Amino acid sequence: MLELTHTTKTHDESRQGEALEMVATGKSNGRKLYIESYGCQMNFSDSEIVASILTDQGFETTKDYKEADVVFINTCSIRENAEQRVRNRLKEFESAKAKNPGMIVGVLGCMAERLKSKFLEEEKLVDVVVGPDAYRDLPNLIDKVDDGSKAVNVLLSREETYADISPVRLNSNGVSAFISIMRGCDNMCSFCVVPFTRGRERSRDPQSIVKEATYLFHAGYREVTLLGQNVDSYKYTPVVEEGKETSATVNFANLLALVADVSPELRVRFSTSHPKDITDEVLYTMARYENICKYIHLPVQSGNSRVLELMNRTYDREWYIDRVDAIRRIIPECGISTDVITGFCTETEDEHQETLSMMDYVKYDFAYMFAYSERPGTLAAKRYEDDVPEEVKKRRLTEVVNKQQEHSLYRVQNFVGKTHKVLIEGFSKRSDQDYCGRNDQNTMVVFPVDPRYKVGQYVHVLGESCTSATLIGRIID
Ligand code: SF4
């Protein structure tokens, strides 16, 4: 499942505000499209859907908003500062629009869905507001603005999965790609806006997912990450035609196996899992397939059962520990990461200590950690007072971050002296003399370039040293 209040392991801070690369599909309408994305991987994947819909209309994408005819920001609404970032960015577009009055400025994604037409009142620069389920309507909405009026479509859908739209892979390394397998979320975690901004849960037809994975494999990709807010509740029951055989319902374990069967050379990852729904069947399926990576993003949010109940997470401390024990029993080498919120409404010092002791119990490989940020319209905002003082929230967050730093180092140190199968994803950010890629547990590995191997190939790397986030090694044959 995917960040969002729980950050999908794919909430990549370094990608925030990333603009599209140049893409054209041959038939041009002479207009240029610029899209900038914020938030979780779901949003980045949605931008690839938007690019596909509009390049089909003849738009060419550009990385420079100053030369664009249409400028879109795909927004995030997970915390107040995420929304403030969008408002600040819109201000930067004012001068470009002043120079090119015909430029269309639009907002997409969760903040657009949360604010709806109010966005037009609050931000005069904005011409079009489109929610996550209404991207097929974009060509029509752009026509409306061309005719001189503002346009809004924030209808949420119970069916829309964009299954028939092939995403335009943007800023891709050509090695790993994301495949969205479902949309929306039926959980109602009390701190979260996602159910209000992305609607009810719906799973995509597994055949279209396998087709996309197969296409990517033949296009040279060697890793796919299956995306959903809560992948464990993936469930697809085909509509049965009159007089036809009922074919079986496909659950997440089944889907994992279907995608892993595309090729043993195709690595499969997924995000995000939910403690209440992750089954032993999923864990045994992971254990059965060498090419399903041994890594799970399992948001805990809090280590205390009373706080978890207030958060409406639908599991308690004992249940979560039982799931971690099952992972350790069935896949001993599995990497686990998580999300933690500190300072949720009425959280006491002792309850905060239970979050720290949970971290000691699991010793996560990685974590996304945030101080509670009240979101308008959520259950928590309606029911509970945001009563933990900011300085207490921040102090608790620092304690959680320091604890995680220790555990991340402990986990990476355990990889030193061992050999890891690594998929070469590209060159290290630090030096083009080094390759980088991730091991099964999703830990970044850096090692000297060896001309016998190229990006997109698997190699075996012996871990020799590390930092708390990166394993450093060399290729061994
Ligand atoms: S409601 Fe809960 S499970 Fe759903 S996206 Fe939000 S945090 Fe994740």
Side-chain angles (χ1 to χ4, degrees):
M1 219 275 23
L2 261 192
E3 237 66 351
L4 28 226
T5 0
H6 68 245
T7 48
T8 42
K9 176 69 182 101
T10 49
H11 179 98
D12 181 347
E13 188 54 30
S14 67
R15 297 192 65 190
Q16 297 309 303
E18 188 177 78
L20 299 185
E21 62 193 84
M22 300 289 287
V23 174
T25 57
K27 59 180 190 302
S28 170
N29 65 5
R31 301 176 85 180
K32 292 207 168 151
L33 166 70
Y34 173 89
I35 307 182
E36 195 167 288
S37 308
Y38 292 85
C40 65
Q41 186 53 46
M42 246 331 169
N43 253 8
F44 285 80
S45 297
D46 281 358
S47 293
E48 297 182 338
I49 297 279
V50 169
S52 180
I53 291 168
L54 293 179
T55 49
D56 265 4
Q57 298 289 313
F59 279 86
E60 188 189 319
T61 58
T62 172
K63 267 198 174 235
D64 179 2
Y65 70 81
K66 295 192 184 73
E67 65 170 30
D69 303 285
V70 174
V71 171
F72 284 155
I73 298 192
N74 198 348
T75 65
C76 172
S77 184
I78 210 66
R79 271 171 291 284
E80 187 48 36
N81 61 7
E83 293 201 350
Q84 198 46 54
R85 197 183 229 174
V86 168
R87 293 185 192 278
N88 299 345
R89 188 64 175 138
L90 282 170
K91 299 233 168 344
E92 292 166 33
F93 292 154
E94 275 170 7
S95 55
K97 178 139 179 172
K99 289 198 194 89
N100 171 10
M103 174 192 281
I104 293 176
V105 175
V107 285
L108 317 177
C110 293
M111 188 180 171
E113 186 66 44
R114 188 179 80 73
L115 289 173
K116 303 181 178 15
S117 51
K118 234 172 91 215
F119 217 134
L120 297 175
E121 295 146 28
E122 294 180 4
E123 302 289 342
K124 299 293 178 230
L125 186 78
V126 173
D127 303 300
V128 57
V129 178
V130 192
D133 286 348
Y135 296 147
R136 284 181 200 273
D137 195 25
L138 278 167
N140 166 46
L141 296 168
I142 290 172
D143 289 348
K144 273 206 183 121
V145 178
D146 285 341
D147 297 344
S149 58
K150 301 271 184 178
V152 177
N153 185 340
V154 286
L155 285 177
L156 286 174
S157 158
R158 284 184 174 272
E159 284 82 38
E160 183 61 85
T161 64
Y162 302 115
D164 59 322
I165 296 180
S166 317
V168 171
R169 301 289 160 186
L170 302 163
N171 305 305
S172 165
N173 59 9
V175 174
S176 50
F178 293 92
I179 300 180
S180 128
I181 63 169
M182 58 198 298
R183 298 181 72 81
C185 187
D186 284 354
N187 297 314
M188 290 301 285
C189 302
S190 62
F191 51 79
C192 184
V193 289
V194 171
F196 307 98
T197 60
R198 285 187 167 273
R200 294 282 69 73
E201 216 163 68
R202 61 226 100 123
S203 296
R204 189 178 152 191
D205 177 344
Q207 296 317 322
S208 73
I209 297 169
V210 171
K211 191 164 149 245
E212 189 173 335
T214 308
Y215 165 82
L216 287 166
F217 181 73
H218 293 304
Y221 288 80
R222 286 294 172 269
E223 180 182 88
V224 291
T225 300
L226 307 181
L227 287 180
Q229 309 292 3
N230 171 7
V231 292
D232 292 303
S233 60
Y234 175 91
K235 190 171 174 213
Y236 186 86
T237 307
V239 180
V240 183
E241 283 156 44
E242 199 62 36
K244 281 267 182 74
E245 258 305 294
T246 53
S247 49
T249 292
V250 176
N251 67 18
F252 186 55
N254 306 144
L255 179 69
L256 268 180
L258 285 170
V259 177
D261 284 336
V262 167
S263 164
E265 291 302 304
L266 183 69
R267 260 186 172 179
V268 182
R269 297 184 186 276
F270 54 88
S271 193
T272 294
S273 301
H274 197 293
K276 96 169 156 28
D277 296 320
I278 190 166
T279 61
D280 287 6
E281 187 192 0
V282 164
L283 302 179
Y284 284 115
T285 304
M286 292 175 71
R288 204 166 63 240
Y289 284 86
E290 190 270 342
N291 61 326
I292 299 180
C293 292
K294 307 302 178 273
Y295 162 74
I296 295 173
H297 184 59
L298 194 68
V300 67
Q301 306 295 7
S302 168
N304 170 264
S305 295
R306 186 190 75 88
V307 174
L308 286 169
E309 191 171 350
L310 289 181
M311 288 177 164
N312 194 29
R313 288 290 287 169
T314 64
Y315 57 85
D316 60 14
R317 181 184 173 87
E318 287 63 41
W319 176 279
Y320 188 90
I321 287 175
D322 169 78
R323 294 294 76 206
V324 171
D325 292 348
I327 294 171
R328 299 282 188 232
R329 187 174 63 249
I330 299 167
I331 320 169
E333 76 279 21
C334 194
I336 305 178
S337 63
T338 197
D339 299 326
V340 174
I341 292 176
T342 64
F344 187 70
C345 314
T346 72
E347 181 192 65
T348 66
E349 198 52 40
D350 288 352
E351 290 163 346
H352 166 61
Q353 291 305 321
E354 284 209 283
T355 297
L356 295 172
S357 66
M358 175 67 87
M359 295 175 76
D360 283 331
Y361 183 82
V362 184
K363 288 192 177 48
Y364 295 104
D365 294 63
F366 187 91
Y368 286 85
M369 301 153 281
F370 301 98
Y372 173 58
S373 166
E374 184 181 85
R375 305 307 297 133
T378 57
L379 295 178
K382 290 182 190 138
R383 291 184 189 158
Y384 314 125
E385 197 203 334
D386 182 8
D387 59 356
V388 177
E390 273 311 306
E391 68 277 6
V392 175
K393 282 184 188 175
K394 294 253 167 349
R395 190 260 303 158
R396 289 178 184 171
L397 181 59
T398 306
E399 289 173 6
V400 163
V401 169
N402 294 345
K403 173 86 64 191
Q404 184 53 48
Q405 193 76 9
E406 276 171 43
H407 293 157
S408 293
L409 182 59
Y410 165 81
R411 288 291 175 198
V412 184
Q413 277 170 340
N414 271 331
F415 292 144
V416 174
K418 297 187 180 106
T419 301
H420 303 265
K421 184 177 178 183
V422 173
L423 174 59
I424 305 176
E425 289 175 38
F427 295 90
S428 144
K429 285 200 185 91
R430 291 242 171 100
S431 153
D432 57 14
Q433 302 306 305
D434 289 333
Y435 275 145
C436 69
R438 283 162 294 139
N439 67 3
D440 221 20
Q441 290 78 11
N442 211 32
T443 293
M444 189 53 77
V445 186
V446 170
F447 45 99
V449 167
D450 179 328
R452 295 172 299 159
Y453 303 101
K454 58 184 190 344
V455 172
Q457 286 186 297
Y458 292 101
V459 287
H460 289 92
V461 177
L462 172 64
E464 293 179 318
S465 65
C466 69
T467 68
S468 66
T470 308
L471 182 64
I472 298 149
R474 62 186 165 80
I475 293 176
I476 52 165
D477 297 322

